[in-house]
């Protein structure tokens, strides 16, 4: 299950490998089918979902509902704008993390402006890496205040 979810999520951000096949395009029916299987397991306390608390189940089902609303009426990721693709990726990673209890290992992407340009780039890191960077920046600022 973990490998399939990761494969789906990576397909959203992976660069095209062949000119004739765009590996960034993912059929959203695959995501819908995967989410139906997860929902069934969560609601029936089955398999890897049996150890989820009631709160975790509710949150997971709410995230799924948000995801399904976002992709409603669309057939592939090519119909999503960059922000929507990032949101789909982040939600899939959150669901994967919740199922596998690997919160700090889930990938989180942000779209950030490129300095000196009007374009934005997608930056993906694990939740742990984002947290470490925030902590390091906070510590650096605190050291700067103490030296003044």
């Amino acid at each position: 299950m973990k490998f399939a979810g990761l494969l789906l999520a990576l397909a959203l951000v992976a660069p095209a490998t062949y000119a004739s096949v765009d590996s960034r395009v993912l059929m959203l029916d695959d995501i819908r089918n995967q989410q139906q299987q997860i929902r069934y397991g969560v609601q029936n306390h089955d398999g890897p979902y049996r150890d989820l608390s009631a709160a975790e189940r509710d949150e997971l089902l709410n995230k799924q509902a948000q995801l399904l609303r976002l992709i409603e009426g669309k057939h592939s990721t090519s119909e999503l704008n960059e922000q929507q693709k990032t949101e789909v990726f982040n939600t899939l990673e959150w669901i994967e993390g919740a199922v596998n209890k690997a919160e700090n290992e889930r990938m989180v992407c942000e779209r950030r402006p490129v300095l000196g340009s009007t374009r934005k780039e997608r930056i993906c890191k694990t939740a742990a890496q984002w947290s470490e960077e925030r902590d390091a920046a906070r510590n650096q600022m605190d050291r700067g205040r103490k030296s003044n």
Side-chain angles (χ1 to χ4, degrees), residues 70-89:
L70 182 65
I71 64 175
E72 186 176 354
K74 296 177 176 67
H75 299 287
S76 77
T77 55
S78 65
E79 297 175 60
L80 302 171
N81 64 37
E82 288 303 312
Q83 182 177 346
Q84 291 169 325
K85 286 178 186 176
T86 299
E87 190 174 337
V88 167
F89 176 83

Side-chain angles (χ1 to χ4, degrees), residues 1-129:
M1 174 58 79
K2 183 175 183 176
F3 181 74
L6 184 60
L7 204 57
L8 287 174
L10 288 176
L12 290 171
V13 295
T17 52
Y18 302 101
S20 62
V21 178
D22 188 349
S23 66
R24 293 174 293 185
V25 175
L26 183 65
M27 300 310 292
L28 295 177
D29 284 341
D30 295 336
I31 292 175
R32 286 184 192 93
N33 290 336
Q34 181 191 44
Q35 295 308 308
Q36 284 176 334
Q37 291 171 356
I38 292 171
R39 180 172 291 268
Y40 179 81
V42 169
Q43 289 174 334
N44 291 305
H45 308 268
D46 218 13
Y49 316 105
R50 74 177 147 262
D51 295 329
L52 295 176
S53 69
E56 289 170 324
R57 278 188 178 79
D58 289 343
E59 191 173 8
L60 192 148
L61 294 174
N62 286 334
K63 289 280 189 182
Q64 279 190 318
Q66 289 173 335
L67 173 67
L68 294 173
R69 278 192 301 273
L70 182 65
I71 64 175
E72 186 176 354
K74 296 177 176 67
H75 299 287
S76 77
T77 55
S78 65
E79 297 175 60
L80 302 171
N81 64 37
E82 288 303 312
Q83 182 177 346
Q84 291 169 325
K85 286 178 186 176
T86 299
E87 190 174 337
V88 167
F89 176 83
N90 287 341
T91 303
L92 287 171
E93 279 294 314
W94 185 94
I95 291 168
E96 185 75 20
V99 169
N100 294 308
K101 301 284 187 180
E103 177 63 24
N104 284 335
E105 294 305 312
R106 74 182 168 92
M107 293 297 290
V108 177
C109 294
E110 291 184 2
R111 295 194 42 80
R112 293 199 170 168
V114 175
L115 191 61
S117 174
T118 58
R119 70 180 186 87
K120 291 185 177 185
E121 66 181 349
R122 185 185 321 223
I123 300 173
C124 298
K125 299 177 185 180
T126 65
Q129 288 171 320

